[in-house]
Amino acid sequence: MISGVYCAAATPVRADLSPDLPAFTAHCHWLLEEGCTGIALLGTTGEANSFSSAERKTILEAALNSGIAGERLMPGTGVANIPETVDLTRHALASGVSRVVMLPPFYYKGVSDEGLFAAYARSIEAIGDNRLRVVLYHIPQVSGIALSHDLIERLVTAFPGIVVGIKDSAGQLDNMTAMVARFPGFAVLAGADPLLLPLVQAGGAGSITATSNLVARDLATVFRGATDPTQAEAVEQAQARINAFRTLSNSYVQIPTIKAMVGFQHGNPGWDRTRPPLVALTAAERADLKTRLAAIGGTVRGE
Amino acid sequence: MISGVYCAAATPVRADLSPDLPAFTAHCHWLLEEGCTGIALLGTTGEANSFSSAERKTILEAALNSGIAGERLMPGTGVANIPETVDLTRHALASGVSRVVMLPPFYYKGVSDEGLFAAYARSIEAIGDNRLRVVLYHIPQVSGIALSHDLIERLVTAFPGIVVGIKDSAGQLDNMTAMVARFPGFAVLAGADPLLLPLVQAGGAGSITATSNLVARDLATVFRGATDPTQAEAVEQAQARINAFRTLSNSYVQIPTIKAMVGFQHGNPGWDRTRPPLVALTAAERADLKTRLAAIGGTVRGE
């Protein structure tokens, strides 16, 4: 069963907006040193859908070539169309990566569970590889597509041992704990940092979050100590720090704010850049963020 | 200036869900014979975002190879990421097609006008071809992205003669007539069939609609006669027929319903198929549709 603290890693880009692979892999190594179980690269925070299929493959290959083991990587491979979802997933498998986070097709809205089941089923059948492990991705506020529990039940029944978990980024703990109760052995991963603790205490598997780009060490402390009363104080302190970083990351548009904070951490202002349609923080926003980051104990290097 | 009646052509697929190119090109030729000004292939009705980039190119090439002139084709080339939007548009231009309908990047929601401007501007600059003619695509109920008039003003000012029009599928006539008034020489095309008549009467350029897969002849009658009082009766009759077909097409999920109706028209039940996440009509829905289509004077062949 997939469990632990995964980072929805942000993706740095160069001035020409091409992926900055050395900065990316350095960040991934730092995240693992900080205590991440693994890297959920190429997700929403990673701006995956702003990169072409070819670029996505290059980013995954760079992580592998930098020496990160395939079992510690969990790339997003779900795009709006099935053939490219299949192609990206097959590329991951051929590269030694069996765990993927798979968005449903997200262009059409209001589609039926039958249509979503067909999309996942056709993708999985076309991938045709028993090593595959699919983490579903529920982020309706961005994708516009909600994954119902009835749909999940159909998928885990049709593809046992293959459809093994879900990243739930909708922010409702009740939805996560209901899945924990209904689907034994199915890994429910919180997409929101403050929910890691209560979710793990309720039998959830861990988290895949954006703030872990900054506070992976604290999230690992929470994960390890969540059900250990002797760790209560350490967990509480870590949770307070996580919450402070998360609150700060929502001061402006979240993904550019997180990228700027990662840039302060690594002393590399190039991290500020985003691909359109996301926009980098303004100079004023960045200055304000810097002050407030230092005030909560964040690292500000090379400024 | 782009003007006339364009069909948002549906895309037939084979049993293995690959594009049925002969059925597609036959349909396009029929649409032109019926009176369409051109074919707006690979749009929302055409399930473009359910096809890979490679498949999209194959579909456009098939239309050209079947003998349709490039100036009568207006493919959708906007996807969620800029590099593939650029690649698809360059492919169209290299193939002799200069007019494209371009969705904004549609994964992230709530993005700023600045981010949308940057996405369009970077795409147009990377395409780097003065032959390019971009029709913007406003369909917020599907894409989740609304194009504001201030954004349009920035784009037409920055790219005069290149950003030349918009397909407005949001269904609000007021929004279309406001653009006609604010942007002289800018082609405002209705995405909803009932609005072709009032839009053309208010100075609009025409339409790109789904129902034109079935009633292109009537839409052409409305377009030609919209501002000619001697044609009022013919226009009224055509409009009534358009409205009847459109109402019927909304009896069930629209795109599968239109595909089934096109299948009845051509006597080819293979048209019923859709790519997930869209789902073909059930047998009961199809039988009901057949009866009701015949009742409004629609063609039902080979059943």
Side-chain angles (χ1 to χ4, degrees), chain B residues 146-189:
Chain B
L147 303 181
S148 75
H149 296 190
D150 286 349
L151 170 65
I152 295 165
E153 181 154 292
R154 278 188 72 178
L155 286 167
V156 299
T157 303
F159 302 102
I162 292 200
V163 175
V164 295
I166 190 165
K167 176 183 178 186
D168 182 343
S169 294
Q172 300 299 318
L173 182 63
D174 285 356
N175 191 58
M176 301 180 208
T177 54
M179 292 189 287
V180 169
R182 181 162 167 181
F183 308 117
F186 185 71
V188 179
L189 298 147

Side-chain angles (χ1 to χ4, degrees), chain B residues 62-74:
Chain B
L64 289 162
N65 291 340
S66 77
I68 301 173
E71 56 261 38
R72 300 194 79 177
L73 296 172
M74 197 152 65

Side-chain angles (χ1 to χ4, degrees), chain A residues 10-12 45 47 213-214 248-249 252-274 279-283 285-290 293 299-301 303:
Chain A
T11 312
T45 306
E47 298 173 82
N213 282 282
L214 301 154
L248 186 54
S249 78
Y252 303 108
V253 177
Q254 189 200 26
I255 296 170
T257 306
I258 284 177
K259 291 186 89 167
M261 291 164 83
V262 172
F264 289 130
Q265 168 68 42
H266 295 314
N268 175 0
W271 268 96
D272 287 7
R273 299 182 197 108
T274 60
V279 177
L281 297 191
T282 65
E285 289 168 344
R286 190 176 187 278
D288 172 59
L289 182 67
K290 187 165 107 175
L293 179 60
T299 306
V300 177
R301 280 205 181 81
E303 292 280 315

